[in-house]
């Protein structure tokens, strides 16, 4: 669950801009849909890219940033020598957190992680330059944080190091960025789209049937999707993983619906609901990795059957609108299944208004969004925000406006 995101000095966001996904500062739960409307070049992509940059910094600053250069950042051109800052408030494994960091052209100036049990702030760690302070409440796990703190480079994030050297107190926040936040910008490469589509379709017959039903309801003309059979060298492993994923998902649903079942799980296996959720994410990631290795050898074998045409289409033969829809359907359905946050920049650039509206309504409808998934999208089309989904907009959608000032700075305001 993402409650708010604040960014300073990233691309056109020169001044601090805060996006709240709740309808008010005191609201307990965020709205399932957050729409950001703005004209071309108003800063919509800068905002979504800022969230993507924060996630990528957490996941990759240790492994992919040049150890002999400054932190990777994209400041406003008129403020190139001023720091950039990113702050997110989110709930990970049942605990509210605030995480943020500040960068300049040479180092990570500051980094902090706070948790908020019962609305009380507790410091997990606070970093200023090369000094790291561990909160008093976390003295019992000081060794975990304290052991990795001296290993972090001045131009990398301490939380990022948790991906290589796990520290128990930091893992929920790291896992949230790694597995609960999905961001989509640009049109998408057709072959990459085919790989993710194939991975989604082959997980279970239910996945394939639901995606095909949604696809048939749009004006693409596609009536069926064909996928090559699994390579025998991988088939047994994929089948075992799919069975494990199905079993773990069923157990998770049972535990979420019954406190007695959750208590029995912890007593029998020493595993909490959040631990089971993390295990399920690991199984899904392993399955995706194995599938990607298989298709890298022989391709996905994806064929798209159109009404009245005998020969299946290759994805490269499809229109930009169809590829855009095929790109978004798997991550949207995955977000609904797992309660993830998904951010989509310019959702209607390639999709039709009806297709975009259909995706939005999947998040607004409590029946199709029973796990608390969140959709954050940007659009130039105000009518997309106000159209048929307006029946639930007052309760289930927050709307923000972006505009660009005469000085080339983006400003974000609630509507």
């Amino acid at each position: 669950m993402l409650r708010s995101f604040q960014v300073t000095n990233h691309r056109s966001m020169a001044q601090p801009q805060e996006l709240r996904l709740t309808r008010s500062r005191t609201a307990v739960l965020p709205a399932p849909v957050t729409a950001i409307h703005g004209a071309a070049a108003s800063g919509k992509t800068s905002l979504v890219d800022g969230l993507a940059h924060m996630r990528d910094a957490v996941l990759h600053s240790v492994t992919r940033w040049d150890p002999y250069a400054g932190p990777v950042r994209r400041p406003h051109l008129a403020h190139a020598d001023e720091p950039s800052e990113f702050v997110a408030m989110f709930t990970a494994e049942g605990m509210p957190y605030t995480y943020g960091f500040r960068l300049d052209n040479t180092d990570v100036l500051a980094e902090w992680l706070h948790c908020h049990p019962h609305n009380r702030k507790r410091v997990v760690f606070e970093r200023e330059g090369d000094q790291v302070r561990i909160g008093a409440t976390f003295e019992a796990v000081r060794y975990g944080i304290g052991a990795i703190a001296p290993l972090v480079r001045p131009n990398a994030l301490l939380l990022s190091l948790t991906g290589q050297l796990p520290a128990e107190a930091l893992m929920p926040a790291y896992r949230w960025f790694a597995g609960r936040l999905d961001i989509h910008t640009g049109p998408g490469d057709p072959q990459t789209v085919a790989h993710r589509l194939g991975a989604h379709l082959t997980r279970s017959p239910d996945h394939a049937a639901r995606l095909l039903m949604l696809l048939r309801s749009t004006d693409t003309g596609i009536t069926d999707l064909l996928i090559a059979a699994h390579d025998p060298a991988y088939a047994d492993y994929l089948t075992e993983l799919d069975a494990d994923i199905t079993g773990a998902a069923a157990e998770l649903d049972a535990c979420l619906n019954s406190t007695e079942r959750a208590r029995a799980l912890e007593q029998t296996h020493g595993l909490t609901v959040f631990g089971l959720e993390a295990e399920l994410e690991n199984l899904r990631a392993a399955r995706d990795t194995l599938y990607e290795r298989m298709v890298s050898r022989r391709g996905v074998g994806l064929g798209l059957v159109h009404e009245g045409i005998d020969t299946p289409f290759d994805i490269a033969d499809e229109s930009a609108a169809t590829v855009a829809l095929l790109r978004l359907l798997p991550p949207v359905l995955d977000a609904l299944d797992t309660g993830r946050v998904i951010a989509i920049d310019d959702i209607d650039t390639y999709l039709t208004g009806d297709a975009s509206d259909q995706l939005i309504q999947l998040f607004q409808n409590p029946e199709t969004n029973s796990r608390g998934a969140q959709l954050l999208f940007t659009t130039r089309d105000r009518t997309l925000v106000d159209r048929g989904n307006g029946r639930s907009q007052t309760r289930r959608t927050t709307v923000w406006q972006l505009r660009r000032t005469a000085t080339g700075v983006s400003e974000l305001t609630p509507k």
Side-chain angles (χ1 to χ4, degrees), residues 17 87 101 107 237 280 384:
Q17 303 296 320
V87 184
F101 54 85
D107 294 317
Y237 298 109
L280 185 55
L384 179 62

Side-chain angles (χ1 to χ4, degrees), residues 164-197:
Q164 284 68 48
L165 300 169
E168 181 181 349
L170 307 184
M171 285 306 297
Y174 180 86
R175 281 195 291 257
W176 187 86
F177 282 100
R180 312 301 291 178
L181 180 60
D182 197 7
I183 302 171
H184 295 267
T185 59
D189 170 66
Q191 292 309 311
T192 301
V193 173
H195 283 193
R196 183 154 190 179
L197 184 60

Side-chain angles (χ1 to χ4, degrees), residues 226-300:
L226 306 178
I227 293 287
H230 289 329
D231 185 326
Y234 292 86
D236 289 344
Y237 298 109
L238 287 168
T239 299
E240 290 177 7
L241 275 171
D242 287 336
D244 290 343
I245 290 169
T246 300
E251 181 66 24
L252 178 61
D253 285 338
C255 290
L256 290 173
N257 292 322
S258 169
T259 54
E260 292 183 3
R261 184 69 171 262
R263 193 178 301 115
L265 174 72
E266 188 166 6
Q267 291 175 347
T268 305
H269 301 285
L271 197 62
T272 66
V273 170
F274 299 118
L276 177 59
E277 203 167 32
E279 289 294 327
L280 185 55
E281 288 292 331
N282 291 337
L283 287 171
R284 286 172 171 149
R287 203 271 184 195
D288 289 342
T289 299
L290 189 63
Y291 181 83
E292 184 63 30
R293 288 180 182 175
M294 181 183 73
V295 300
S296 67
R297 294 178 55 188
R298 54 95 193 235
V300 180

Side-chain angles (χ1 to χ4, degrees), residues 220-224 304-313:
T220 61
I222 296 174
T223 59
D224 204 357
L304 301 107
V305 179
H306 284 254
E307 185 176 8
I309 301 175
D310 295 334
T311 304
F313 283 30

Side-chain angles (χ1 to χ4, degrees), residues 12-29:
S12 66
M13 302 283 172
Q15 305 303 321
Q17 303 296 320
E18 183 184 18
L19 175 70
R20 296 191 307 276
L21 283 73
T22 55
R23 296 201 59 79
S24 68
R25 291 185 181 275
T26 58
V28 176
L29 295 175

Side-chain angles (χ1 to χ4, degrees), residues 38-371:
S42 60
K44 302 186 301 297
T45 297
S46 294
L47 180 63
V48 176
D49 186 73
L51 187 59
H53 186 78
M54 183 178 195
R55 180 200 61 186
D56 292 346
V58 169
L59 300 183
H60 305 306
S61 70
V62 169
T63 56
R64 297 186 185 176
W65 287 7
D66 186 345
Y68 302 104
V72 174
R73 70 185 194 114
R74 292 183 283 275
H76 191 284
L77 294 178
H79 302 266
D81 294 327
E82 299 175 17
S84 300
E85 185 172 291
F86 305 82
V87 184
M89 294 185 65
F90 55 92
T91 300
E93 302 179 15
M95 176 66 71
Y97 286 94
T98 300
Y99 173 69
F101 54 85
R102 189 180 309 117
L103 316 170
D104 67 6
N105 292 326
T106 57
D107 294 317
V108 175
L109 300 177
E111 184 184 3
W112 59 94
L113 178 65
H114 303 153
C115 65
H116 307 275
H118 310 295
N119 293 321
R120 296 181 179 179
K121 173 184 167 182
R122 291 182 178 175
V123 174
V124 181
F125 77 86
E126 291 180 337
R127 171 187 179 190
E128 292 284 343
D130 59 357
Q131 301 298 312
V132 177
R133 181 173 73 89
I134 302 170
T137 307
F138 293 87
E139 285 294 328
V141 291
R142 169 177 287 276
Y143 177 76
I145 304 175
I148 68 173
L151 304 178
V152 68
R153 301 193 313 264
N155 68 340
L157 300 175
L158 177 58
L159 188 60
S160 182
L161 192 59
T162 308
Q164 284 68 48
L165 300 169
E168 181 181 349
L170 307 184
M171 285 306 297
Y174 180 86
R175 281 195 291 257
W176 187 86
F177 282 100
R180 312 301 291 178
L181 180 60
D182 197 7
I183 302 171
H184 295 267
T185 59
D189 170 66
Q191 292 309 311
T192 301
V193 173
H195 283 193
R196 183 154 190 179
L197 184 60
H200 184 88
L201 292 171
T202 59
R203 285 176 192 163
S204 74
D206 290 342
H207 275 71
R210 180 179 56 170
L211 189 144
L212 186 58
M213 180 186 68
L214 289 170
L215 196 58
R216 286 172 175 169
S217 68
T218 61
D219 192 22
T220 61
I222 296 174
T223 59
D224 204 357
L225 297 168
L226 306 178
I227 293 287
H230 289 329
D231 185 326
Y234 292 86
D236 289 344
Y237 298 109
L238 287 168
T239 299
E240 290 177 7
L241 275 171
D242 287 336
D244 290 343
I245 290 169
T246 300
E251 181 66 24
L252 178 61
D253 285 338
C255 290
L256 290 173
N257 292 322
S258 169
T259 54
E260 292 183 3
R261 184 69 171 262
R263 193 178 301 115
L265 174 72
E266 188 166 6
Q267 291 175 347
T268 305
H269 301 285
L271 197 62
T272 66
V273 170
F274 299 118
L276 177 59
E277 203 167 32
E279 289 294 327
L280 185 55
E281 288 292 331
N282 291 337
L283 287 171
R284 286 172 171 149
R287 203 271 184 195
D288 289 342
T289 299
L290 189 63
Y291 181 83
E292 184 63 30
R293 288 180 182 175
M294 181 183 73
V295 300
S296 67
R297 294 178 55 188
R298 54 95 193 235
V300 180
L302 175 66
L304 301 107
V305 179
H306 284 254
E307 185 176 8
I309 301 175
D310 295 334
T311 304
F313 283 30
D314 184 83
I315 193 168
D317 299 324
E318 296 289 350
S319 68
T322 298
V323 173
L325 184 59
L326 294 172
R327 174 178 71 101
L328 292 178
L329 277 176
V332 161
L333 295 175
D334 285 343
L336 293 168
D337 287 342
T338 60
R340 291 178 186 169
V341 180
I342 182 171
I344 303 173
D345 186 33
D346 285 328
I347 192 172
D348 57 329
T349 295
Y350 297 100
L351 296 182
T352 64
D354 288 340
S356 300
D357 186 54
Q358 226 177 329
L359 294 184
I360 295 167
Q361 289 190 30
L362 288 173
F363 289 84
Q364 288 180 322
N365 187 342
E367 294 182 1
T368 52
N369 185 9
S370 60
R371 300 294 291 272

